Every structure is written in C-alpha cells, then in structure tokens.
C-alpha cells in the first residue's frame, strides 16, 4: 500500500517530499500523490540558484492539462541546485516523482526542522491510503 511513498523521505501536507543529502543539503520534489492529482504535467517553473526561500513560500509552479499548482519550499534555505532536466521534460514528474523528477535542492537555514515533518506512514494517513 505504501510502496509509492518512500519511507526514507519526509513529507508535508502541500504534497512535497524532502530528502536530506549526505552533504547537508535537502532535495525537494512533489509526491506521487500530487502528480496523480495534477494529471499530465506539461510545464514546470523552478526557483533560481541563489534564491533565499522562506518556509512555506512559493518556490515554483507546476502546470498540467488540468490545472496549475504552486510548489512550496517546505523549509527555509538557499537554493543551491535546480533540476534543469525537469524543465526540458516536465513529464518526468509523472513518471519518476521520487527519482529523476526532483525539483530543487536547498542549503537549509535549520536542518533540524526536518525532524518535525511527516514520515511516510504519517503522509499515507494524511492522503488516505
């Protein structure tokens, strides 16, 4: 049941996932559930490297054949990388939401906030699976 919600990630109720990397940065993307709700994704707008994002601030946009939706920064930090491949091939968000379709990476202002985010099990309950 939770096979599409990787256990090693953290989650927020706006349907972004977070992965703490070995270098202390945090990679952020949208969940499988989010891409299912959106349908076929046709456009992705990402933040710029060097942007300082506040927690819960809009960091980008995802457009699908159904709707446009904001992508939020679940934690505060400086954008240190963006996934240009996703801009060129936004459909990756539909096929590889936890892999090749990561959105951006931040150097967190305070990495300890990750401890307070949802686990895979908690996120599964949040979305009713």
């Amino acid at each position: 049941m939770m096979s599409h919600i990787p256990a090693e990630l953290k989650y927020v109720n706006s349907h972004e996932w977070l992965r703490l990397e070995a270098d202390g940065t945090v990679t952020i993307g949208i969940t499988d559930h989010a891409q299912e709700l959106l349908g076929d994704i046709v456009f992705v707008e990402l933040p710029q490297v060097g942007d300082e994002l506040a927690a819960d601030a809009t960091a980008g946009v995802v457009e699908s054949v159904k709707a446009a939706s904001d992508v939020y920064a679940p934690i505060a930090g400086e954008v240190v990388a963006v996934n240009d491949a996703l801009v060129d091939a936004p459909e990756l968000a539909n096929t590889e939401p936890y892999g090749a379709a990561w959105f951006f990476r931040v150097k967190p202002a305070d990495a300890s906030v990750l401890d307070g985010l949802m686990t895979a099990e908690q996120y599964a309950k949040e979305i009713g699976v």
Side-chain angles (χ1 to χ4, degrees), residues 11-123:
Y11 300 87
V12 293
N13 60 7
S14 55
H15 308 297
E16 286 87 18
W17 57 261
L18 301 89
R19 178 178 58 234
L20 181 61
E21 303 294 347
D23 65 0
T25 62
V26 176
T27 301
I28 298 166
I30 64 169
T31 65
D32 186 53
H33 180 72
Q35 72 80 22
E36 285 177 6
L37 293 174
L38 285 164
D40 292 335
I41 294 173
V42 296
F43 175 79
V44 173
E45 180 181 300
L46 300 173
Q48 298 294 312
V49 171
D51 285 355
E52 287 286 341
L53 301 173
D56 302 322
T58 300
V61 176
V62 175
E63 292 182 13
S64 71
V65 294
K66 290 187 197 176
S69 182
D70 289 335
V71 175
Y72 297 98
I75 61 172
E78 178 188 352
V79 177
V80 295
V82 296
N83 188 353
D84 290 326
L86 190 58
V87 174
D88 296 335
E91 65 276 5
L92 283 172
N94 292 117
T95 59
E96 296 187 56
Y98 299 113
W102 61 276
F103 277 58
F104 57 98
R105 190 169 290 139
V106 298
K107 179 180 177 185
D110 179 3
S112 70
V113 299
L114 289 169
D115 297 337
L117 302 180
M118 284 187 275
T119 64
E121 187 174 277
Q122 290 167 325
Y123 182 68

